[in-house]
Amino acid sequence: MEALRQDDPRHLGRYTVLARFREGAAAVQYLARESADGEPVVITAARPALAAVPAFRRRFQSEARTAERLAGGWVTPPLDTRVTPDDDSGTTTEAPNALWTAAGYVPALTLADAIGLGGPLPERAVRILGAGIAEILSRVHATGAVLQGLAPETVLLAEDGPRLTAFGPLGAAASAEARGEQLSVRLGYLTPEQVEGVEAGAPSDLFVLGLLLAYAATGTTPFTDGPPEEAAGRIAHAEPELDSVPDALRELIAGCLAKDPALRPDAGAVAAELALEGAAGLARGGWLPERLAAAVADQEARVRALETPLDAAADADEPQDAPVGMAARAPGGGPAGTPEDAVAAAGAPAAAPGAGKESGGTTHYLGTVPGAARTDHPTTQLAVPRELTASSAAAPVAPAALPAAPQPSGGPVPPTPPSSPSSASSPLSPEAPAPGTPYQHAPGGPAPYAPAALPGATAPAATPMVSLPLPPPAPAPSPTASRRALLITAAAAAGGLIVGGGAVGLLGSDDSAAADDGKPAPDRRRTLPGQAPEPRWTYAHPASESSPLTTAVWRDKLLVLTSESQASAVDLRTGKRVWQRADAAKGQAALAAGADLCFVASPTEFLWLSPKDGAVKHRLRYADQFTGLPNLRMGTITGQSGSVIWFTGSTTVTVKAPKPKKGKKPGKDKQVAQAHFFAYDIVRRQELWRTAVPAGRAPGTPVYRLIAERSADLLVRQDAVTLTPAEVGAAKGKGSIRSFDQKTGKLLWVKQYGALAPAAGILGDEDGRLYGADGADLQAFESDTAKPLWRLNGGTGSVYGTPVVAGPLLHTTNRSQEVGAVQRETGRLVWRRSTEVPLGGSAPAITLSSSEKTLIAADASQVTAFAAADGRRLWKFQDIGVQDPKGAAVTAPYRTLTTGRTVVVQRDRAFYAFTVA
């Protein structure tokens, strides 16, 4: 952190800028306040040279939206965002291409700073750190997206737990450079699949999480041994060096670092393994080592003592926003006064501007004195060594973890915490320990971690950033020049991300090229109109067995079917049945319980099965697990988040008749149903809470459907068929939504929304909006206030079904056999298409592929696939069924399940697996 420079903005929107806080490759973070006595905020402002590139602006907007969707928990909610050139706050005049977001200031150290100051973290702290980040990843992956925002500089250690500050490749970029209309971005890591040229997916985030956990636990990375030029080979093929990792964490971290993405645990399993009670629960009472806690407290005190810069106060009446970081250009092409201009030919470190002095008209740091200049190590953990980036693009290399920084013979040198590229020792950062006190590298132990190189850090002039420029007039790619080919090229070029001409080639990006430039991506080779691609496999459930009752996917590996007689599993790769188990007959919800168990809820007990052979590893009868509730009748599972499931259940109790009055006959005892709503951890095999709720229609178990899971509460609606006659009468034709506290199960409120009926299609999102079918229209409401937001008109007799949320879009379905997409925030129609099925019947059931690129509609007649971005019909599928017109395969409706790049289509006993985008 440092004082404001001459060219830094003094105002951004309604905020007065106080100081530079942190600096990344793509943006600068400032400390600011809305008023003199207001709370401090952190503003992340994009560098103007990058903000001028349209592709960068779109990516910046996408990552800002991701931050908004993830707000809550370990993600600080954004307060303000300026992402469009014509977005004028009305209070300031900003640079034309200004891009920035503001969030509340949270006192915290980056993981890199913490390791540099205090060395490896204790095991408990590593568990809390990993569990918190895994909880965020679990929320991201649940939408089918990939984060790609993990790095030692983007993970913060706050007093109450970890925080994440980057929500995509830009936030975690090791370097970024604009070249005309092109943008070159280099990530600070590669994963084995990216080295092999495969697109990054959710398992890639888990690999990077494993690297961060190993780094937090040891102070170094697990792939340091060996020459830099073999870094990519070590990432792709060598086993990680984990001897210094605590025994209790070694197996989990090794699992995250598995070469095969399919073998890595999912984020929910990692979170449960690290902290069964959740990161927040484990962090109660403090979690940071004393030295780091003191540094965080000291940082907070210094931040709150910041004064308004003198020049900002002088022009407060006529504020002007200067572009971020736009200094006078030096002959070398870089900003004058930056370390790049101060680098000697021999690569000597640059002196920080303003070292040892404080210019007038800048922020005053009370009680501090700027320190001397220091050297920034020109390397980054998990990143390609700078000596390799000088290679030609024709000789690609891949980034990797670096060996320890060399130490003088006089003794070990402590790692230097990352700093601003040109700053002196920051008076608001943890101060460097005195000689003899810092973390020392133990002989034979892990080498100290070399701090991350920040943009503009000193580096030899002959080591330019690797990039693969795309010609501005690039022709439309052929059908064979797929996005995968772009990813292979980018991965081979040391993890470089090339953006130019309006197209984006991002490793594992959750935004397609179509989303970035507003145009549909080139069609791949497609089948004849109306004809589906050939299924990868088909599976016919034996006619000698009862038909499947439930169908679920276990960890993208097994298709688990339950029936009246048994449960069975089908290999998702081959379509072959691998096991069957009678114990799990009539079960529901084959869920992942940790990394190696399949959870099934039967009518009388919970079962944990081996995914290999279906053997029962654990069983818990409801009578033994749920004390005080004999003969518990479990309802349909309401929903799941990580290792926690929610469900309803009921039991029958005898209510004694009141003692009769003298001379009166005694009354009869009554059998009364009592119902509860439960939260249960299927990994810990422990009840978390139960809440008494009104009993449903006989036999008494209400069925709840999850409408929205938010950071603090759950929104549920009771199925109309389980409402009692009294409840139906009292509702007067309207449905109700209940809110339950996530931690305690306490009922917070019950609300009705407009004229939404008890059985209307309805869905909520994390942004506090709720969408439901109101007559022939689709209506949006504020979840907490029931205030109407927008209405989408439907046709006569067109009743909307349950929608699906995907990023900024809401995908819709209605009884006119139409599907479409609208903007969630405004309700503006993006596209609408007919499935070309004869009118009548229910609205098609819709689902999205894991990538959110393909929208799949299933009804009684067929399955239809559409491009989610623009509604192009991709294909439709109908099976022939049995010849008997009354046969089940003819009359049964289609159902679909999506997992990875596969959609499984079911029609009664027949299953088909198709590959989708």
Side-chain angles (χ1 to χ4, degrees), residues 644-669:
V644 177
I645 62 172
W646 303 285
F647 62 92
T648 52
S650 68
T651 187
T652 301
V653 299
T654 300
V655 178
K656 295 291 186 181
K659 187 176 180 180
K661 295 181 180 180
K662 187 175 182 180
K664 298 291 184 180
K665 293 182 180 180
K668 294 182 179 180
D669 296 343

Side-chain angles (χ1 to χ4, degrees), residues 183-206:
L183 172 70
S184 180
V185 177
R186 179 166 59 86
L187 291 177
Y189 61 84
L190 270 186
T191 62
E193 54 269 30
Q194 290 172 298
V195 173
E196 300 296 334
V198 178
E199 182 176 356
S204 303
D205 283 338
L206 272 298

Side-chain angles (χ1 to χ4, degrees), residues 76-462:
T76 304
L79 301 174
D80 254 334
T81 301
R82 189 199 198 275
V83 293
T84 57
D86 57 352
D87 178 14
D88 189 358
S89 66
T91 59
T92 67
T93 301
E94 300 179 4
N97 289 319
L99 293 178
W100 55 266
T101 62
Y105 162 70
V106 176
L109 306 177
T110 67
L111 177 59
D113 281 340
I115 298 300
L117 178 65
L121 300 179
E123 179 185 328
R124 176 171 172 268
V126 175
R127 286 184 175 276
I128 295 168
L129 171 70
I133 300 304
E135 288 169 9
I136 298 174
L137 292 180
S138 181
R139 294 169 58 197
V140 173
H141 296 168
T143 68
V146 185
L147 182 67
Q148 291 191 289
L150 299 181
E153 296 76 30
T154 67
V155 174
L156 302 182
L157 280 59
E159 181 182 15
D160 59 344
R163 296 289 192 282
L164 185 62
T165 63
F167 307 97
L170 291 185
S175 56
E177 182 178 353
R179 298 174 179 175
E181 292 299 312
Q182 298 177 346
L183 172 70
S184 180
V185 177
R186 179 166 59 86
L187 291 177
Y189 61 84
L190 270 186
T191 62
E193 54 269 30
Q194 290 172 298
V195 173
E196 300 296 334
V198 178
E199 182 176 356
S204 303
D205 283 338
L206 272 298
F207 185 88
V208 182
L209 177 60
L211 291 173
L212 289 179
L213 292 180
Y215 166 54
T218 67
T220 187
T221 70
F223 294 104
T224 56
D225 293 338
E229 61 271 15
E230 298 176 4
R234 291 199 299 276
I235 290 174
H237 306 295
E239 291 302 314
E241 176 54 56
L242 300 175
D243 290 346
S244 300
V245 173
D247 294 343
L249 299 175
R250 189 174 301 134
E251 182 177 355
L252 177 66
I253 293 177
C256 292
L257 298 176
K259 305 302 180 186
D260 184 354
L263 298 180
R264 296 172 201 156
D266 60 32
V270 172
E273 180 73 18
L274 290 172
L276 291 176
E277 63 272 62
L282 188 57
R284 288 193 184 99
W287 71 293
L288 292 177
E290 183 177 351
R291 187 169 195 171
L292 300 186
V296 169
D298 180 67
Q299 179 198 93
E300 179 180 17
R302 294 170 184 267
V303 166
R304 296 190 181 280
L306 286 174
E307 294 178 348
T308 301
L310 300 180
D311 51 352
D315 64 3
D317 294 333
E318 298 181 4
Q320 287 284 330
D321 282 5
V324 179
M326 287 292 290
R329 305 302 293 181
T338 64
E340 295 179 55
D341 301 304
V343 177
K357 65 180 182 178
E358 190 172 15
S359 61
T362 60
T363 302
H364 295 280
Y365 303 114
L366 302 184
T368 64
V369 178
R374 64 184 180 189
T375 301
D376 281 329
H377 293 256
T379 57
T380 181
Q381 187 219 9
L382 317 181
V384 60
R386 282 190 177 267
E387 60 268 24
L388 295 185
T389 62
S391 307
S392 167
V397 291
L402 294 175
Q407 297 179 355
S409 58
V413 176
T416 306
S419 68
S420 297
S422 59
S423 68
S425 296
S426 168
L428 301 183
S429 299
E431 299 191 5
T437 60
Y439 160 65
Q440 301 290 333
H441 169 46
Y449 161 65
L454 295 174
T458 56

Side-chain angles (χ1 to χ4, degrees), residues 90 179 182 188 202 222 239 241 311 353 408 430 467 471 544 608 746 753 851 871:
R179 298 174 179 175
Q182 298 177 346
E239 291 302 314
E241 176 54 56
D311 51 352
S467 64
S544 59
W608 287 263
K746 178 183 177 182
Y753 296 82
S851 66

Side-chain angles (χ1 to χ4, degrees), residues 106 327 330 414 459 621 630 670 908:
V106 176
R621 296 185 61 83
K670 293 182 179 181
D908 193 48

